[in-house]
Amino acid sequence: MDEASAQLILSLLHQDVQEEIESSRTGNNNSGASDHELALREWASQIQECATTTHDSHMALSIDRATYDDRVALTLAAQEESRALADRTLALRYGNQAQQAQHQPAQRLATQQTQDATRILARIDGADISSLFPARTAAALGYGAGSPSNVAAKPPLENNATAECVACFEEQPLKDMMQTPCSHRYCRACVLRLVREALADESLLPLRCCRLPIPPSTLQDHLGHRLAKQLEDKLIEREDPYRTYCSRAGCGQYLMPYQVQGYIGTCKICRQETCTLCKRPAHAGTECDDDQVEDQTVLDLAAEQGWQRCARCSHVIELGTGCNHITCRCRYEFCYVCSSTWRSCTCPIWDERRLLLRAQDVAGRDRDDPPPEQEVQQVAQNLQEDHECDHDNWRRVKGAHQCEECHDDYPHFIYECRQCRLLACARCRFNRL
Ligand SMILES: [Zn+2]
Ligand SMILES: [Zn+2]
Ligand SMILES: [Zn+2]
Ligand SMILES: [Zn+2]
Ligand SMILES: [Zn+2]
Ligand SMILES: [Zn+2]
Ligand SMILES: [Zn+2]
Ligand SMILES: [Zn+2]
């Protein structure tokens, strides 16, 4: 039965009972309620409860059916609501009492809604997501019988076709490969490697190739249930604007949005409670301690080395090229000089000294003697003109090089962007930049 019909029947039943209560009251001249009336009232409240449950379960069902992509957005939307409620409650605590009394019903309703959303999401967390996978994968994962007739019906030619993997250059059966929106193909081993690396390094998230996002639905075919779930959790962590980690030293577990009530997150591993405002152990009833003393040695070192801290995720970044435009691993773009959002300040785009060093470095590539001054000036000018680069034109350079993005060494070859002259390894060129 669909929800609308169920709700209609329940509301008709409820009307009947209400009328029955009215008529029994008219017939009863005593001031107290009769047993009959009390029974009717009990029945009415049970009908109401049933209506609520029906609504909840239909809502949960429709969320279950939502795709992998939507679930990250849903979790974050529920978190946003819960956070707004916590903010309102806090504001009210410091606001005047009359206002508080006025807002109470709305507040209670909001609490109820947030609890519902949290309950449903917690349910999904433990739910079997096999229904979200295509039958073939579900069968491979051991869910359901799958459809062997479909597999047999495939033309034999397709089973023998192979293609080159863009990551490892090996020829692999086409049917085992993932094709990305940029038409590159990855073998199964390289898909798994990419996902495992991304779980440890969020600069690879959301997963992409040639700057085009790889839809989770494309990935799902190649991941097991466990890895798909881990990737989903990691995406939530990455997108979480209030991200908080367990404050117990040695634990540091990320606290999922549905583990947070008000501002307090409870670790599912060690049960430690953490304040999501100040990121320290929960401090019931008292305000956060504002003067957070940051580790002074880290700050000193950062200033000395010319490092800058990302205002969004606190990651410390070192600027390599001459441009003051920084894109953090969390994709936040900011000014290296003053750390405000990119293009929101009046700082110069270039640091002359670093630009010249960069130009000398680029002009001196693949030569033993220092480059002539004229060439350095030319490169510096090109760098300034080309600095907003989409890196869509690369050449392969043989020999041992260091990747300028991840700073790893590569013994055989590296890619060089023809426009901005950036040197990048295959991982950075395809999946990180
Ligand atoms: Zn491969
Ligand atoms: Zn690609
Ligand atoms: Zn913990
Ligand atoms: Zn606090
Ligand atoms: Zn960041
Ligand atoms: Zn600035
Ligand atoms: Zn470039
Ligand atoms: Zn790299």
Side-chain angles (χ1 to χ4, degrees):
M1 189 186 298
D2 63 286
E3 195 197 346
S5 326
Q7 293 292 6
L8 181 66
I9 292 171
L10 287 167
S11 94
L12 288 173
L13 270 174
H14 194 251
Q15 263 176 31
D16 283 354
V17 180
Q18 286 299 342
E19 281 166 19
E20 187 63 31
I21 291 174
E22 284 305 313
S23 66
S24 87
R25 197 181 282 158
T26 337
N28 177 12
N29 290 325
N30 299 329
S31 51
S34 68
D35 283 353
H36 179 60
E37 191 185 332
L38 286 177
L40 284 172
R41 286 192 184 285
E42 175 60 24
W43 174 223
S45 85
Q46 278 182 18
I47 292 172
Q48 290 253 275
E49 207 172 291
C50 183
T52 312
T53 315
T54 308
H55 176 73
D56 275 5
S57 69
H58 277 86
M59 171 137 169
L61 261 180
S62 67
I63 293 177
D64 266 358
R65 264 185 249 113
T67 63
Y68 194 47
D69 315 55
D70 294 337
R71 288 154 41 130
V72 173
L74 270 171
T75 304
L76 292 165
Q79 177 195 39
E80 208 50 67
E81 260 196 37
S82 154
R83 185 78 177 198
L85 175 69
D87 288 348
R88 277 202 301 278
T89 313
L90 187 69
L92 283 171
R93 203 193 296 159
Y94 298 113
N96 72 47
Q97 298 300 313
Q99 218 182 353
Q100 181 169 3
Q102 203 184 347
H103 278 74
Q104 261 170 1
Q107 198 179 322
R108 232 179 285 126
L109 181 66
T111 313
Q112 184 58 46
Q113 284 172 345
T114 311
Q115 281 169 354
D116 287 351
T118 310
R119 207 173 56 233
I120 290 165
L121 285 163
R123 219 177 67 77
I124 292 176
D125 186 39
D128 177 5
I129 59 170
S130 63
S131 62
L132 299 174
F133 293 111
R136 188 164 59 84
T137 317
L141 293 170
Y143 302 122
S147 177
S149 58
N150 279 355
V151 178
K154 274 187 184 169
L157 183 70
E158 199 192 320
N159 283 335
N160 297 332
T162 62
E164 190 188 77
C165 169
V166 68
C168 68
F169 305 114
E170 274 180 38
E171 284 286 327
Q172 296 282 344
L174 205 53
K175 61 178 168 48
D176 291 338
M177 301 185 89
M178 173 182 81
Q179 184 169 13
T180 55
C182 54
S183 294
H184 279 132
R185 289 179 197 277
Y186 287 77
C187 73
R188 187 177 291 269
C190 287
V191 172
L192 292 177
R193 192 176 306 125
L194 176 61
V195 170
R196 293 211 174 94
E197 276 183 41
L199 289 175
D201 173 5
E202 65 175 290
S203 68
L204 293 169
L205 290 173
L207 291 173
R208 56 199 179 273
C209 190
C210 303
R211 303 188 138 203
L212 294 173
I214 305 170
S217 47
T218 302
L219 281 157
Q220 274 171 41
D221 271 343
H222 305 270
L223 305 180
H225 181 176
R226 246 174 66 93
L227 208 53
K229 181 81 182 81
Q230 283 178 329
L231 183 61
E232 181 190 316
D233 286 357
K234 198 72 194 171
L235 282 169
I236 292 171
E237 174 182 344
R238 203 194 86 92
E239 300 294 329
D240 183 353
Y242 314 107
R243 68 163 92 172
T244 303
Y245 299 89
C246 174
S247 57
R248 170 157 300 179
C251 179
Q253 180 77 20
Y254 167 65
L255 303 174
M256 295 294 287
Y258 50 77
Q259 291 169 266
V260 178
Q261 288 287 329
Y263 294 123
I264 306 298
T266 306
C267 177
K268 67 180 170 195
I269 307 285
C270 71
R271 311 306 300 167
Q272 165 91 351
E273 292 190 340
T274 302
C275 170
T276 59
L277 290 174
C278 65
K279 320 292 184 196
R280 295 172 175 192
H283 41 85
T286 57
E287 278 179 64
C288 299
D289 193 359
D290 272 339
D291 35 72
Q292 295 197 27
V293 196
E294 186 135 20
D295 189 345
Q296 198 56 43
T297 46
V298 173
L299 288 182
D300 287 348
L301 189 65
E304 187 188 306
Q305 298 285 325
W307 294 340
Q308 189 57 273
R309 186 182 286 277
C310 168
R312 185 169 176 251
C313 76
S314 299
H315 183 59
V316 173
I317 303 155
E318 180 188 2
L319 192 64
T321 59
C323 172
N324 286 325
H325 177 200
I326 292 201
T327 304
C328 180
R329 60 176 185 179
C330 72
R331 314 303 291 167
Y332 178 64
E333 295 177 71
F334 62 97
C335 166
Y336 179 72
V337 180
C338 69
S339 81
S340 48
T341 310
W342 183 239
R343 291 195 191 287
S344 72
C345 62
T346 52
C347 302
I349 293 179
W350 292 93
D351 176 289
E352 286 301 325
R353 193 181 61 86
R354 273 187 287 113
L355 174 64
L356 214 60
L357 285 175
R358 173 73 179 166
Q360 274 164 358
D361 182 43
V362 169
R365 274 178 196 166
D366 307 318
R367 60 194 301 164
D368 299 326
D369 48 330
E373 184 57 27
Q374 196 190 347
E375 204 171 309
V376 174
Q377 290 301 333
Q378 184 59 51
V379 171
Q381 198 186 326
N382 291 348
L383 285 174
Q384 289 193 58
E385 283 164 9
D386 295 339
H387 92 281
E388 296 283 353
C389 183
D390 287 334
H391 316 301
D392 45 20
N393 188 1
W394 297 86
R395 71 187 186 104
R396 233 166 110 154
V397 186
K398 281 199 174 132
H401 290 92
Q402 191 186 57
C403 170
E404 291 176 335
E405 274 298 307
C406 67
H407 303 290
D408 280 349
D409 291 312
Y410 291 85
H412 304 302
F413 74 93
I414 199 114
Y415 291 102
E416 183 186 51
C417 174
R418 288 183 203 268
Q419 190 181 324
C420 69
R421 311 296 298 273
L422 181 75
L423 294 179
C425 69
R427 173 63 82 228
C428 289
R429 173 199 160 171
F430 291 112
N431 310 119
R432 187 174 274 117
L433 284 169

